[in-house]
Amino acid sequence: MFPSQKKIIVFLLISSLFLSGCWDQRMYKDLSVISVVGIDGHVGDIRGHYAYPSSNSDPTKYIVLEGIGKTMRESRIDANKKTEQTMDVAELTTILVNEESAKKDLYALMDVYYRSAQSPMNAKVVITKGSAKKFLEIKDTMSKEIGEYYFDLITAFEDATIYPKTNLEIAANLMFSEGRDLGLPYLNTSEDKGLPEGEGMALFNGKKYTGEHLTLRESIFATLLGYRKANFVELAYMWDKDDKKAQVAFNIINFKKKKKVLKDGNNIKIQYEIDMPVFITEYPPDHLDRKNVRQQLEKFIKGRVEKDIARMFKKSQDASSDVVGIGEDIRAYHPQLWREGKWKGIYKDIKIETKVNVNVVRSGSTR
């Protein structure tokens, strides 16, 4: 063996002594791996609820620890005293925040997660109608691990273009944004089984929940106008046609939007023009091979969509919540209209008009 080879072997043997393990290694058997956190109360009087699996063989079984404190960190310390293991949030998927708690300062409640290197920034942030605790009391109806359940639930809404993609990181950016406000999933529980169900988008003004939320349909148009179409968009209406009710359902194939900003003195007007080809998925009256029938249907869809968009903007403006991000475009492309610190005052009073061009391009396998 050559001397140089001996030196290499000795070097490798010595180096291996320093590779015995990671300095921050944590064993799962010593941890209570928290997958969902619920928050009730305000800074000064907080109740934190921490859900983690209680069975290795059955992921649907879990325990909820409750901690009380003046801060989120203190409530977590209190909850940690009630388990024989150390609580760990490295696999946190969802943070559920009581709507009343979010009205004061959402960021103050989230700060403990932003300051921890172990917190996953892709965790979903959700606003709940009423106590967050009741959203963790659904053990008898669970079909999967609770953290996976909530993550998949919100992801399904995002795929359907009901909510824009959101997580801890995105929420923090929007809470400090001057040109766009945060919109978060707003969940209620069903009356029969108490299961979580989407009720719309919670509207924020800065770090505070305004107390107002969009409906699911209005949330779709806020997402389409403020972000983009995700995997698919499905809509359904009832049409009082010829003294009869007709079901109209369709998928939006594409959603192209153009925006103009017009100024007349101190008055600002925003004009949207939208091209929206659709695929009809339900229409019992049929005969969509006839041009006049298609045109009537297109006119109906156009009218209903324009009304829904108008309602969405009115709610957003009344709540001083620019979830569509009009302010971003004003600041970037019309700096002469941007008044530092005064955008929200201007936003509430601007006139917004929308013109939708609907084109039925597919009508299914029947006429």
Side-chain angles (χ1 to χ4, degrees):
M1 183 178 291
F2 296 107
S4 60
Q5 291 177 317
K6 289 182 179 179
K7 290 181 181 180
I8 293 173
I9 291 173
V10 171
F11 174 77
L12 292 174
L13 288 172
I14 294 174
S15 299
S16 67
L17 297 176
F18 298 97
L19 300 175
S20 58
C22 297
W23 67 269
D24 63 344
Q25 183 180 23
R26 294 164 295 158
M27 303 299 291
Y28 273 106
K29 65 182 179 66
D30 301 323
L31 301 174
S32 297
V33 182
I34 306 299
S35 61
V36 181
V37 171
I39 301 174
D40 288 323
H42 306 282
V43 173
D45 182 16
I46 288 179
R47 287 182 181 271
H49 313 283
Y50 306 87
Y52 68 95
S54 60
S55 170
N56 292 327
S57 59
D58 186 355
T60 65
K61 293 182 178 180
Y62 61 94
I63 293 173
V64 179
L65 296 175
E66 182 174 281
I68 301 173
K70 293 181 179 180
T71 68
M72 280 302 301
R73 174 61 69 180
E74 191 174 29
S75 77
R76 181 171 162 182
I77 293 171
D78 182 56
N80 208 27
K81 295 175 182 177
K82 301 171 185 177
T83 176
E84 71 282 2
Q85 298 173 314
T86 302
M87 286 170 46
D88 183 87
V89 296
E91 294 190 13
L92 181 66
T93 70
T94 313
I95 302 173
L96 305 168
V97 185
N98 184 328
E99 60 182 341
E100 294 301 321
S101 304
K103 285 180 180 179
K104 286 196 172 181
D105 188 343
L106 179 64
Y107 185 84
L109 301 174
M110 299 291 103
D111 182 75
V112 67
Y113 300 104
Y114 292 123
R115 295 188 184 278
S116 172
Q118 295 173 0
S119 299
M121 288 295 102
N122 65 337
K124 305 296 183 185
V125 184
V126 177
I127 305 302
T128 65
K129 186 174 183 178
S131 172
K133 183 179 181 180
K134 69 179 180 180
F135 288 81
L136 297 174
E137 297 174 340
I138 55 175
K139 299 180 182 181
D140 296 336
T141 55
M142 291 298 298
S143 59
K144 58 176 71 172
E145 193 273 322
I146 188 169
E148 183 183 1
Y149 173 85
Y150 273 110
F151 190 88
D152 289 348
L153 177 67
I154 301 305
T155 300
F157 280 108
E158 293 172 353
D159 289 342
T161 322
I162 296 173
Y163 303 136
K165 183 178 180 181
T166 186
N167 53 40
L168 269 171
E169 181 179 6
I170 294 171
N173 292 335
L174 290 178
M175 278 189 276
F176 289 96
S177 171
E178 294 180 334
R180 181 189 294 267
D181 279 308
L182 176 63
L184 289 178
Y186 184 75
L187 296 187
N188 196 359
T189 52
S190 60
E191 294 182 1
D192 52 352
K193 296 184 178 180
L195 283 173
E197 56 184 18
E199 194 159 306
M201 182 189 296
L203 299 175
F204 276 74
N205 183 349
K207 303 174 188 177
K208 299 179 180 181
Y209 171 48
T210 64
E212 299 293 332
H213 70 274
L214 303 176
T215 65
L216 290 174
R217 189 178 292 161
E218 291 162 355
S219 300
I220 288 174
F221 292 114
T223 303
L224 285 169
L225 285 164
Y227 296 86
R228 61 178 179 81
K229 174 179 172 287
N231 292 354
F232 62 95
V233 185
E234 293 183 308
L235 289 167
Y237 296 97
M238 290 297 294
W239 184 8
D240 292 323
K241 185 176 184 296
D242 301 329
D243 298 324
K244 295 181 180 179
K245 290 188 180 293
Q247 308 101 288
V248 178
F250 55 92
N251 291 349
I252 297 177
I253 299 172
N254 204 349
F255 192 89
K256 294 183 179 180
K257 53 188 181 282
K258 295 179 181 178
K259 178 167 58 180
K260 289 183 181 179
V261 180
L262 305 175
K263 184 180 179 183
D264 182 11
N266 293 325
N267 298 319
I268 299 175
K269 181 164 68 174
I270 309 292
Q271 291 183 333
Y272 283 96
E273 184 165 347
I274 298 164
D275 289 325
M276 198 177 80
V278 301
F279 169 33
I280 302 299
T281 57
E282 186 177 23
Y283 184 63
D286 222 346
H287 301 298
L288 290 176
D289 56 325
R290 300 174 186 173
K291 184 177 180 180
N292 65 319
V293 175
R294 269 200 323 277
Q295 288 177 338
Q296 289 178 19
L297 181 58
E298 290 168 349
K299 184 178 179 180
F300 167 75
I301 295 173
K302 165 188 168 69
R304 293 300 298 269
V305 168
E306 288 178 349
K307 286 182 180 179
D308 284 335
I309 292 175
R311 279 194 288 265
M312 179 273 294
F313 274 124
K314 186 177 189 311
K315 278 188 183 179
S316 301
Q317 287 179 280
D318 288 346
S320 291
S321 181
D322 184 10
V323 290
V324 171
I326 293 175
E328 288 182 342
D329 288 343
I330 294 290
R331 188 173 190 176
Y333 302 109
H334 305 276
Q336 72 279 10
L337 302 179
W338 180 267
R339 300 178 187 176
E340 196 67 38
K342 297 182 180 179
W343 166 241
K344 284 300 175 65
I346 299 172
Y347 169 72
K348 289 191 72 170
D349 297 324
I350 61 176
K351 186 176 182 180
I352 304 175
E353 297 177 349
T354 305
K355 179 184 177 183
V356 180
N357 303 310
V358 178
N359 183 20
V360 175
V361 297
R362 282 185 280 169
S363 58
S365 57
T366 64
R367 292 187 175 185

